[in-house]
Amino acid sequence: MTLRVAMIGYGFMGSAHSVGWRQAPAMFSLPEKVEMAVVVGRNADAVARAAEQWGWAESATDWREVIARDDIDLVDIVTPGDSHAEIAIAALEAGKHVLCEKPLANSVAEAEAMAEAAARAAERGVVAMVGFTYRRVPAVTLLRDLIAQGTIGEVQQVRAAYRQDWLVDPQMPLAWRLQKEHAGSGALGDIGAHILDMTQFVTGQTVDAVTGVLDTIVKQRPLQATGSGLSGSAGEGYGEVTVDDVAIFTGRLSGGALASFEATRFATGRKNALSIEVSGTAGALRFDLEDLNALQFYDRTAPEELQGFAKILVTEPTHPYVSAWWPAGHLLGYEHGFSHQVVDLVTAIAEGTHPHPTFAEGLSVQRALAAVEESSANDSAWVRVAVSDPVSAY
Ligand code: SOE
């Protein structure tokens, strides 16, 4: 069988997903063939250029027309969050498998409707997955596996951060990510979603309550003359920034441990610094995206004279995903997670299983995001995260 893919959107995530769709079949023995059939965008000339450059057979400007086609099997949504729900629900109801970029939606209500549509579609053998690709960095999957094996004992504390600095310049234009109607929230949903999902993924626990504070440091920015995404030239006049620049919050995990989170676009000098450290009774594990081929491991059970954070180079063929790439010591990069995402999605479709993270897991992140917003609006009072369907359930 051939999975014919339509990608809706063609910004930064469109380029990263295109690399994944192209690289995965070249480097892994996938159980199904993949065809990069069509990429969809509003600007006909621009999306035709993207199709040409990234290797999509066709380009189109009407996503509704594309998801109605019988020769499309899977819809990959890489648009801003304000269109995730409409496109994903329509695609699922048309019987198409769906991969949807994070965060799942711009609101809990949208995420609930998407999760319900996915549950209905699952009864017809149609799958849906959320694009939290950092789970598929080999070192992060290894981190999850080691915790599940009890390597660091009982989890006692988690520290997670995602620090960027692309907004420190007040003249950075008012991109779509700074407008609530398009992005849903700012650093909280864009990068805070990643560390929330990663914390739930590596610990196997849910964030059940949060207390937090949101802050907008630069409240007005030059209107953007053209384009969208992370950058674009400044136009005439100024507009209101309607989302957070910084989100700092604490979560209580279902196993009882506290987790601290920082998501910011004002960490001057930090370009894309995601980190997570999990402390346990028998040791600790730490991952830094800026050193993404490594996992730091502290073993409290080792002889005292040998104790210290050791660097595991996660490039052995026995490490997750690595055997399809290069020999030990030849490193992977940011883009490889997008190929691993394709591998797991295509394999799940071929095997008739649910790929993770499911829309239900995406909904649990959305509910935690909303709880942080509610806490920040109520003097940072603790807010319980609405009970999600069990994270591993569909
Ligand atoms: C911008 O913050 C961004 O592109 C995020 O939207 C992505 O999810 C992250 O992987 C890199 O930074």
Side-chain angles (χ1 to χ4, degrees), residues 117-206:
R120 289 194 301 274
E123 290 162 14
R124 305 197 313 273
V126 172
V127 302
M129 181 167 149
V130 191
F132 284 112
T133 47
Y134 291 129
R135 289 183 171 210
R136 296 183 156 89
V137 172
V140 176
T141 300
L142 178 63
L143 169 51
R144 188 277 309 269
D145 294 347
L146 290 174
I147 292 175
Q149 291 156 20
T151 307
I152 63 169
E154 185 196 342
V155 171
Q156 293 185 309
Q157 202 179 337
V158 179
R159 291 164 210 83
Y162 201 155
R163 302 183 178 112
Q164 297 176 341
D165 71 355
W166 57 280
L167 284 181
V168 169
D169 176 0
Q171 288 309 305
M172 189 71 186
L174 195 70
W176 67 264
R177 280 189 168 84
L178 307 180
Q179 300 167 48
K180 190 170 182 63
E181 68 272 19
H182 296 300
S185 63
L188 177 66
D190 182 27
I191 48 180
H194 276 298
I195 48 180
L196 271 166
D197 175 71
M198 188 175 288
T199 297
Q200 296 193 136
F201 172 64
V202 301
T203 62
Q205 301 182 26
T206 51

Coordinates of all heavy atoms in Angstrom, one line a residue, residues 117-206:
A117 N -13.3 13.7 17.7 CA -13.3 13.3 16.3 C -12.3 12.2 16.0 O -12.5 11.2 15.3 CB -13.0 14.5 15.4
A118 N -11.2 12.2 16.7 CA -10.1 11.2 16.6 C -10.6 9.9 17.2 O -10.4 8.8 16.6 CB -8.8 11.6 17.3
A119 N -11.3 9.9 18.3 CA -11.8 8.7 18.9 C -12.9 8.0 17.9 O -12.9 6.8 17.7 CB -12.5 9.0 20.2
R120 N -13.7 8.9 17.3 CA -14.7 8.3 16.3 C -14.0 7.7 15.1 O -14.3 6.6 14.7 CB -15.6 9.4 15.9 CG -16.6 9.9 16.9 CD -17.8 10.7 16.3 NE -17.3 11.9 15.6 CZ -17.0 13.1 16.2 NH1 -17.2 13.2 17.5 NH2 -16.6 14.1 15.5
A121 N -13.0 8.4 14.7 CA -12.2 8.0 13.5 C -11.5 6.7 13.8 O -11.4 5.8 12.9 CB -11.2 9.0 13.0
A122 N -11.0 6.6 15.0 CA -10.2 5.3 15.4 C -11.1 4.1 15.2 O -10.6 3.0 14.9 CB -9.8 5.5 16.8
E123 N -12.4 4.2 15.4 CA -13.3 3.1 15.3 C -13.3 2.6 13.8 O -13.7 1.5 13.5 CB -14.7 3.5 15.8 CG -14.8 3.6 17.3 CD -16.1 4.4 17.7 OE1 -17.0 4.5 16.9 OE2 -16.1 4.9 18.9
R124 N -12.9 3.5 12.9 CA -12.9 3.2 11.5 C -11.4 2.9 11.0 O -11.1 2.9 9.8 CB -13.5 4.3 10.7 CG -14.9 4.7 11.1 CD -15.6 5.5 10.0 NE -14.7 6.6 9.5 CZ -14.6 7.8 10.0 NH1 -15.3 8.1 11.1 NH2 -13.9 8.7 9.4
G125 N -10.5 2.7 12.0 CA -9.1 2.4 11.7 C -8.3 3.6 11.2 O -7.3 3.5 10.5
V126 N -8.8 4.8 11.5 CA -8.1 6.1 11.1 C -7.4 6.6 12.3 O -8.0 6.7 13.4 CB -9.2 7.1 10.5 CG1 -8.5 8.4 10.3 CG2 -9.8 6.6 9.3
V127 N -6.1 6.9 12.1 CA -5.3 7.4 13.3 C -5.0 8.9 13.2 O -5.0 9.5 12.2 CB -4.0 6.6 13.4 CG1 -4.3 5.1 13.5 CG2 -3.1 6.9 12.2
A128 N -4.7 9.4 14.4 CA -4.3 10.8 14.6 C -3.2 10.9 15.6 O -3.2 10.2 16.6 CB -5.6 11.6 15.0
M129 N -2.3 11.8 15.3 CA -1.1 12.0 16.1 C -0.7 13.5 16.2 O -1.0 14.2 15.3 CB 0.1 11.2 15.4 CG 1.4 11.2 16.1 SD 2.4 9.9 15.3 CE 4.0 10.6 15.5
V130 N -0.1 13.9 17.3 CA 0.3 15.3 17.5 C 1.8 15.3 17.4 O 2.5 14.5 17.8 CB -0.1 15.7 19.0 CG1 0.1 17.3 19.1 CG2 -1.5 15.4 19.3
G131 N 2.3 16.4 16.7 CA 3.7 16.5 16.4 C 4.6 17.0 17.5 O 5.4 18.0 17.3
F132 N 4.6 16.3 18.6 CA 5.6 16.7 19.6 C 6.9 15.9 19.3 O 7.2 14.8 19.9 CB 5.1 16.3 21.0 CG 4.1 17.3 21.6 CD1 2.8 16.9 21.8 CD2 4.4 18.6 21.9 CE1 1.8 17.8 22.3 CE2 3.5 19.5 22.4 CZ 2.2 19.1 22.6
T133 N 7.7 16.4 18.4 CA 8.8 15.6 17.8 C 9.9 15.4 18.7 O 10.7 14.5 18.6 CB 9.3 16.4 16.5 OG1 9.6 17.7 16.9 CG2 8.4 16.3 15.4
Y134 N 10.1 16.3 19.8 CA 11.3 16.1 20.6 C 11.2 14.8 21.4 O 12.2 14.3 21.8 CB 11.4 17.3 21.6 CG 11.7 18.6 21.0 CD1 11.0 19.7 21.2 CD2 12.8 18.7 20.1 CE1 11.3 21.0 20.6 CE2 13.1 19.9 19.5 CZ 12.4 21.0 19.7 OH 12.7 22.2 19.1
R135 N 10.0 14.2 21.5 CA 10.0 12.8 22.1 C 10.9 11.9 21.3 O 11.3 10.9 21.9 CB 8.6 12.3 22.0 CG 7.5 12.9 22.8 CD 6.2 12.2 22.6 NE 5.1 12.6 23.6 CZ 4.2 11.8 24.0 NH1 4.1 10.5 23.6 NH2 3.2 12.2 24.8
R136 N 11.0 12.2 20.1 CA 11.7 11.2 19.1 C 13.2 11.6 18.9 O 13.8 11.0 18.0 CB 10.9 11.1 17.9 CG 9.5 10.5 18.2 CD 8.6 10.3 17.0 NE 7.7 9.2 17.3 CZ 6.5 9.5 17.9 NH1 6.1 10.7 18.2 NH2 5.7 8.5 18.2
V137 N 13.7 12.5 19.7 CA 15.2 12.6 19.7 C 15.6 11.3 20.5 O 15.1 11.0 21.6 CB 15.6 13.9 20.5 CG1 17.1 13.9 20.7 CG2 15.1 15.1 19.8
P138 N 16.6 10.6 19.9 CA 17.0 9.3 20.6 C 17.3 9.5 22.1 O 16.8 8.6 22.9 CB 18.2 8.9 19.8 CG 17.9 9.4 18.4 CD 17.2 10.7 18.6
A139 N 17.9 10.6 22.5 CA 18.3 10.7 23.9 C 17.0 10.9 24.8 O 17.0 10.5 25.9 CB 19.2 11.9 24.1
V140 N 16.0 11.5 24.2 CA 14.7 11.7 25.0 C 14.0 10.4 25.1 O 13.5 10.0 26.2 CB 13.9 12.8 24.4 CG1 12.5 12.9 25.1 CG2 14.6 14.1 24.3
T141 N 13.9 9.6 24.0 CA 13.3 8.3 24.1 C 14.1 7.4 25.1 O 13.5 6.7 25.9 CB 13.2 7.6 22.8 OG1 12.5 8.4 21.9 CG2 12.6 6.2 22.8
L142 N 15.4 7.5 25.1 CA 16.3 6.7 26.0 C 16.0 7.2 27.4 O 15.9 6.4 28.4 CB 17.7 6.9 25.7 CG 18.7 6.2 26.6 CD1 18.6 4.7 26.6 CD2 20.2 6.6 26.2
L143 N 15.8 8.5 27.6 CA 15.5 9.0 29.0 C 14.3 8.4 29.5 O 14.2 7.9 30.6 CB 15.4 10.6 28.9 CG 14.9 11.4 30.0 CD1 15.6 11.1 31.3 CD2 15.0 12.9 29.7
R144 N 13.2 8.4 28.7 CA 12.0 7.8 29.1 C 12.1 6.3 29.4 O 11.7 5.8 30.4 CB 10.9 7.9 27.9 CG 9.5 7.5 28.2 CD 9.2 6.1 28.0 NE 9.7 5.5 26.8 CZ 8.9 5.4 25.7 NH1 7.7 5.9 25.7 NH2 9.4 4.9 24.6
D145 N 12.9 5.6 28.6 CA 13.1 4.1 28.8 C 13.8 3.9 30.1 O 13.4 3.0 30.9 CB 13.8 3.5 27.6 CG 13.1 3.6 26.3 OD1 11.8 3.9 26.3 OD2 13.7 3.4 25.2
L146 N 14.8 4.7 30.4 CA 15.6 4.4 31.6 C 14.8 4.7 32.8 O 14.8 4.0 33.8 CB 16.9 5.3 31.6 CG 17.9 5.0 30.6 CD1 19.1 6.0 30.6 CD2 18.5 3.6 30.8
I147 N 13.9 5.7 32.8 CA 13.1 6.0 33.9 C 12.1 4.9 34.1 O 11.9 4.4 35.2 CB 12.3 7.4 33.8 CG1 13.3 8.5 33.9 CG2 11.2 7.5 34.8 CD1 12.7 9.9 33.6
A148 N 11.5 4.4 33.0 CA 10.5 3.3 33.1 C 11.2 2.0 33.6 O 10.5 1.2 34.3 CB 10.0 3.0 31.7
Q149 N 12.5 1.9 33.4 CA 13.2 0.7 33.9 C 13.6 0.8 35.3 O 14.2 -0.1 35.9 CB 14.4 0.4 33.0 CG 14.1 -0.1 31.6 CD 15.3 0.2 30.6 OE1 16.4 0.4 31.0 NE2 14.9 0.3 29.3
G150 N 13.4 2.0 35.9 CA 13.7 2.2 37.3 C 15.2 2.6 37.6 O 15.7 2.6 38.7
T151 N 15.9 3.0 36.5 CA 17.3 3.3 36.6 C 17.6 4.5 37.6 O 18.7 4.5 38.2 CB 17.8 3.7 35.2 OG1 17.5 2.7 34.3 CG2 19.3 3.9 35.2
I152 N 16.7 5.4 37.7 CA 16.9 6.5 38.7 C 16.0 6.4 39.9 O 15.9 7.3 40.7 CB 16.8 7.9 38.1 CG1 15.4 8.2 37.6 CG2 17.9 8.1 37.0 CD1 15.2 9.7 37.2
G153 N 15.4 5.2 40.0 CA 14.5 5.0 41.2 C 13.2 5.8 41.1 O 12.7 6.0 40.0
E154 N 12.6 6.2 42.2 CA 11.4 7.0 42.2 C 11.6 8.4 41.8 O 12.5 9.1 42.3 CB 10.7 6.9 43.5 CG 9.3 7.5 43.6 CD 8.9 7.7 45.1 OE1 9.5 7.1 46.0 OE2 8.0 8.5 45.3
V155 N 10.8 8.9 40.9 CA 11.0 10.4 40.5 C 10.6 11.3 41.6 O 9.5 11.1 42.2 CB 10.1 10.6 39.2 CG1 10.1 12.1 38.9 CG2 10.6 9.9 38.0
Q156 N 11.5 12.2 42.0 CA 11.2 13.1 43.2 C 11.1 14.5 42.7 O 10.5 15.3 43.4 CB 12.3 12.9 44.2 CG 12.4 11.5 44.9 CD 13.4 11.5 46.0 OE1 14.6 11.8 45.8 NE2 13.0 11.0 47.1
Q157 N 11.6 14.9 41.6 CA 11.5 16.3 41.1 C 11.9 16.3 39.6 O 12.7 15.6 39.1 CB 12.4 17.2 41.9 CG 12.0 18.6 41.9 CD 12.9 19.5 42.7 OE1 13.6 19.1 43.6 NE2 12.9 20.8 42.4
V158 N 11.2 17.3 38.9 CA 11.5 17.5 37.5 C 11.7 19.0 37.3 O 11.0 19.8 37.9 CB 10.4 17.0 36.6 CG1 10.7 17.3 35.1 CG2 10.1 15.5 36.8
R159 N 12.7 19.3 36.5 CA 13.0 20.7 36.1 C 13.1 20.8 34.6 O 13.9 20.1 34.0 CB 14.4 21.2 36.7 CG 14.4 21.3 38.2 CD 15.9 21.4 38.6 NE 15.9 20.8 40.0 CZ 16.0 19.5 40.2 NH1 16.1 18.6 39.2 NH2 16.0 19.0 41.4
A160 N 12.2 21.6 34.0 CA 12.1 21.6 32.6 C 12.1 23.1 32.1 O 11.5 23.9 32.8 CB 10.9 20.9 32.0
A161 N 12.8 23.4 31.1 CA 12.9 24.8 30.6 C 13.0 24.8 29.1 O 13.5 23.8 28.5 CB 14.1 25.5 31.2
Y162 N 12.4 25.8 28.5 CA 12.6 26.0 27.0 C 12.8 27.5 26.8 O 11.9 28.3 27.0 CB 11.3 25.5 26.2 CG 11.6 25.2 24.8 CD1 10.8 24.3 24.1 CD2 12.6 25.8 24.1 CE1 11.0 24.0 22.7 CE2 12.9 25.6 22.7 CZ 12.1 24.7 22.1 OH 12.3 24.4 20.7
R163 N 14.1 27.9 26.5 CA 14.4 29.3 26.5 C 14.9 29.7 25.1 O 15.7 29.0 24.5 CB 15.6 29.5 27.5 CG 15.3 29.1 28.9 CD 16.5 29.4 29.8 NE 16.1 29.0 31.2 CZ 16.7 28.0 31.9 NH1 17.6 27.3 31.3 NH2 16.3 27.8 33.1
Q164 N 14.3 30.7 24.6 CA 14.7 31.3 23.3 C 14.9 32.8 23.5 O 14.5 33.4 24.6 CB 13.6 31.1 22.2 CG 13.4 29.6 21.9 CD 12.2 29.3 21.0 OE1 11.3 30.2 20.8 NE2 12.2 28.2 20.4
D165 N 15.4 33.5 22.5 CA 15.6 35.0 22.7 C 15.2 35.8 21.4 O 15.6 36.9 21.3 CB 17.0 35.3 23.1 CG 18.0 35.1 21.9 OD1 17.6 34.6 20.9 OD2 19.2 35.4 22.1
W166 N 14.3 35.2 20.5 CA 14.1 35.9 19.3 C 13.2 37.1 19.4 O 13.0 37.8 18.4 CB 13.5 34.9 18.2 CG 12.3 34.2 18.6 CD1 12.2 33.1 19.4 CD2 10.9 34.5 18.2 NE1 10.8 32.7 19.5 CE2 10.1 33.5 18.8 CE3 10.4 35.5 17.4 CZ2 8.7 33.5 18.5 CZ3 9.0 35.5 17.2 CH2 8.2 34.5 17.7
L167 N 12.7 37.3 20.6 CA 11.8 38.5 20.8 C 12.4 39.6 21.6 O 11.8 40.6 21.9 CB 10.5 38.1 21.4 CG 9.5 37.4 20.4 CD1 8.2 37.1 21.1 CD2 9.2 38.3 19.2
V168 N 13.7 39.5 22.0 CA 14.3 40.5 22.9 C 14.4 41.8 22.2 O 14.2 42.9 22.8 CB 15.8 40.0 23.2 CG1 16.5 41.1 23.9 CG2 15.7 38.8 24.2
D169 N 14.5 41.8 20.8 CA 14.5 43.1 20.1 C 13.1 43.6 20.0 O 12.2 43.0 19.3 CB 15.0 42.8 18.7 CG 15.0 44.1 17.8 OD1 14.5 45.1 18.3 OD2 15.4 44.0 16.6
P170 N 12.8 44.8 20.6 CA 11.4 45.3 20.6 C 10.9 45.7 19.2 O 9.7 45.9 18.9 CB 11.5 46.6 21.5 CG 12.9 46.9 21.5 CD 13.7 45.7 21.3
Q171 N 11.8 45.8 18.2 CA 11.5 46.1 16.8 C 11.1 44.8 16.0 O 10.7 44.9 14.9 CB 12.6 46.8 16.1 CG 12.7 48.3 16.6 CD 11.4 49.0 16.6 OE1 10.7 49.1 15.6 NE2 11.0 49.5 17.8
M172 N 11.2 43.7 16.7 CA 10.8 42.4 16.0 C 9.3 42.6 15.7 O 8.5 42.9 16.6 CB 11.0 41.2 17.0 CG 10.8 39.9 16.4 SD 12.2 39.5 15.2 CE 11.6 37.9 14.6
P173 N 8.9 42.4 14.4 CA 7.5 42.7 14.1 C 6.5 41.8 14.8 O 6.8 40.7 15.3 CB 7.4 42.5 12.6 CG 8.8 42.5 12.1 CD 9.7 42.0 13.3
L174 N 5.2 42.2 14.7 CA 4.1 41.5 15.3 C 3.7 40.3 14.5 O 2.7 40.3 13.8 CB 2.9 42.4 15.4 CG 1.8 42.0 16.4 CD1 2.3 42.1 17.8 CD2 0.6 42.9 16.2
A175 N 4.5 39.2 14.6 CA 4.2 38.0 13.8 C 3.0 37.3 14.4 O 2.5 37.6 15.5 CB 5.4 37.0 13.9
W176 N 2.5 36.3 13.6 CA 1.3 35.6 14.0 C 1.4 34.9 15.4 O 0.5 34.8 16.2 CB 0.8 34.6 13.0 CG 1.7 33.4 12.8 CD1 2.6 33.2 11.8 CD2 1.6 32.2 13.6 NE1 3.2 32.0 12.0 CE2 2.6 31.3 13.0 CE3 0.9 31.7 14.6 CZ2 2.9 30.0 13.5 CZ3 1.1 30.4 15.2 CH2 2.1 29.6 14.6
R177 N 2.6 34.5 15.7 CA 2.8 33.9 17.0 C 2.6 34.8 18.2 O 2.6 34.4 19.4 CB 4.3 33.3 17.1 CG 4.4 32.0 16.4 CD 5.8 31.3 16.8 NE 5.9 30.0 16.3 CZ 6.3 29.6 15.1 NH1 6.5 30.5 14.2 NH2 6.4 28.3 14.8
L178 N 2.5 36.1 17.9 CA 2.3 37.1 19.0 C 0.8 37.6 19.1 O 0.5 38.5 19.8 CB 3.2 38.3 18.7 CG 4.7 37.9 18.6 CD1 5.6 39.1 18.3 CD2 5.2 37.1 19.8
Q179 N 0.0 36.9 18.3 CA -1.4 37.4 18.3 C -2.3 36.2 18.7 O -2.3 35.1 18.1 CB -1.8 37.8 16.8 CG -1.0 39.0 16.3 CD -1.1 39.2 14.8 OE1 -2.2 39.2 14.3 NE2 0.0 39.3 14.1
K180 N -3.0 36.4 19.8 CA -3.8 35.4 20.5 C -4.8 34.7 19.5 O -4.9 33.5 19.5 CB -4.6 35.9 21.7 CG -5.2 34.8 22.6 CD -5.7 35.4 23.9 CE -6.4 34.3 24.8 NZ -5.4 33.3 25.2
E181 N -5.4 35.5 18.6 CA -6.4 34.9 17.7 C -5.8 33.9 16.7 O -6.4 33.0 16.3 CB -7.2 36.0 16.9 CG -6.4 36.8 15.9 CD -5.7 38.0 16.5 OE1 -5.5 38.0 17.7 OE2 -5.3 38.9 15.7
H182 N -4.5 34.0 16.5 CA -3.8 33.0 15.6 C -3.1 32.0 16.4 O -3.1 30.8 16.0 CB -2.8 33.8 14.7 CG -3.5 34.7 13.8 ND1 -4.5 34.3 12.9 CD2 -3.4 36.1 13.6 CE1 -4.9 35.4 12.2 NE2 -4.3 36.4 12.6
A183 N -2.4 32.3 17.5 CA -1.5 31.4 18.2 C -2.1 30.8 19.4 O -1.6 29.8 19.9 CB -0.2 32.1 18.5
G184 N -3.2 31.4 19.9 CA -3.8 30.9 21.2 C -3.1 31.4 22.4 O -3.8 31.8 23.4
S185 N -1.8 31.3 22.4 CA -1.0 31.9 23.5 C 0.4 32.1 23.0 O 0.7 31.8 21.8 CB -1.0 30.9 24.7 OG -0.3 29.7 24.4
G186 N 1.3 32.6 23.9 CA 2.6 32.9 23.4 C 3.6 31.8 23.7 O 3.4 30.6 23.3
A187 N 4.6 32.1 24.5 CA 5.6 31.1 24.9 C 5.0 29.9 25.5 O 5.4 28.8 25.3 CB 6.7 31.7 25.8
L188 N 3.9 30.2 26.3 CA 3.2 29.1 27.0 C 2.8 27.9 26.1 O 3.2 26.8 26.2 CB 2.0 29.6 27.7 CG 1.2 28.5 28.4 CD1 1.9 27.9 29.6 CD2 -0.2 29.1 28.9
G189 N 2.1 28.2 25.0 CA 1.6 27.2 24.1 C 2.6 26.7 23.1 O 2.6 25.6 22.7
D190 N 3.4 27.7 22.7 CA 4.3 27.4 21.6 C 5.5 26.5 22.1 O 5.7 25.4 21.5 CB 4.9 28.7 21.1 CG 5.9 28.5 19.9 OD1 5.7 27.4 19.2 OD2 6.8 29.3 19.7
I191 N 6.1 26.9 23.2 CA 7.3 26.1 23.7 C 7.0 25.5 25.0 O 7.5 24.4 25.4 CB 8.6 26.9 23.7 CG1 8.4 28.3 24.3 CG2 9.1 27.1 22.2 CD1 9.7 29.1 24.4
G192 N 6.1 26.1 25.8 CA 5.7 25.5 27.1 C 5.0 24.1 26.8 O 5.2 23.2 27.6
A193 N 4.3 24.0 25.7 CA 3.6 22.7 25.4 C 4.6 21.6 25.2 O 4.4 20.5 25.6 CB 2.8 22.9 24.1
H194 N 5.8 22.0 24.6 CA 6.8 20.9 24.4 C 7.3 20.4 25.8 O 7.4 19.1 25.9 CB 8.1 21.5 23.7 CG 7.9 21.6 22.2 ND1 7.8 20.5 21.4 CD2 8.0 22.6 21.4 CE1 7.7 20.9 20.1 NE2 7.8 22.2 20.1
I195 N 7.6 21.2 26.7 CA 8.2 20.7 28.0 C 7.1 20.1 28.9 O 7.4 19.2 29.6 CB 9.0 21.8 28.8 CG1 8.2 23.1 28.9 CG2 10.3 22.0 28.1 CD1 9.0 24.2 29.7
L196 N 5.8 20.5 28.7 CA 4.8 19.8 29.4 C 4.6 18.4 28.8 O 4.6 17.4 29.5 CB 3.4 20.5 29.2 CG 3.1 21.6 30.2 CD1 2.0 22.5 29.8 CD2 2.8 20.9 31.6
D197 N 4.6 18.3 27.5 CA 4.5 16.9 26.9 C 5.7 16.1 27.2 O 5.5 14.9 27.5 CB 4.3 17.0 25.3 CG 4.3 15.7 24.7 OD1 3.3 15.0 24.8 OD2 5.4 15.3 24.1
M198 N 6.9 16.7 27.1 CA 8.1 15.9 27.4 C 8.1 15.4 28.8 O 8.4 14.2 29.1 CB 9.3 16.7 27.2 CG 10.6 15.9 27.2 SD 12.1 16.8 26.8 CE 11.8 17.0 25.0
T199 N 7.6 16.2 29.8 CA 7.6 15.8 31.2 C 6.6 14.6 31.4 O 7.0 13.6 32.0 CB 7.2 16.9 32.1 OG1 8.2 18.0 32.0 CG2 7.0 16.5 33.5
Q200 N 5.5 14.7 30.8 CA 4.5 13.6 30.8 C 5.0 12.4 30.1 O 4.9 11.2 30.6 CB 3.1 14.0 30.3 CG 2.5 15.1 31.1 CD 1.0 15.4 30.8 OE1 0.2 15.5 31.6 NE2 0.7 15.3 29.5
F201 N 5.7 12.6 29.0 CA 6.2 11.4 28.2 C 7.3 10.7 29.0 O 7.3 9.5 29.2 CB 6.8 11.9 26.9 CG 7.5 10.9 26.1 CD1 6.9 9.8 25.6 CD2 8.9 11.1 25.8 CE1 7.5 8.8 24.8 CE2 9.6 10.2 25.0 CZ 8.9 9.0 24.5
V202 N 8.3 11.4 29.5 CA 9.5 10.7 30.1 C 9.1 10.1 31.5 O 9.7 9.1 31.9 CB 10.7 11.6 30.2 CG1 11.2 12.1 28.8 CG2 10.6 12.8 31.2
T203 N 8.2 10.7 32.2 CA 7.9 10.2 33.5 C 6.7 9.2 33.5 O 6.5 8.4 34.4 CB 7.4 11.3 34.5 OG1 6.2 12.0 34.0 CG2 8.6 12.4 34.7
G204 N 5.9 9.3 32.4 CA 4.7 8.4 32.3 C 3.6 8.9 33.3 O 2.7 8.1 33.6
Q205 N 3.8 10.1 33.8 CA 2.8 10.6 34.7 C 2.1 11.8 34.1 O 2.5 12.4 33.1 CB 3.5 11.1 36.0 CG 4.3 9.9 36.7 CD 4.9 10.4 38.0 OE1 4.5 11.4 38.7 NE2 6.0 9.7 38.4
T206 N 1.0 12.3 34.7 CA 0.3 13.5 34.2 C 0.6 14.6 35.2 O 0.8 14.5 36.3 CB -1.2 13.2 34.1 OG1 -1.6 12.7 35.4 CG2 -1.5 12.2 33.0

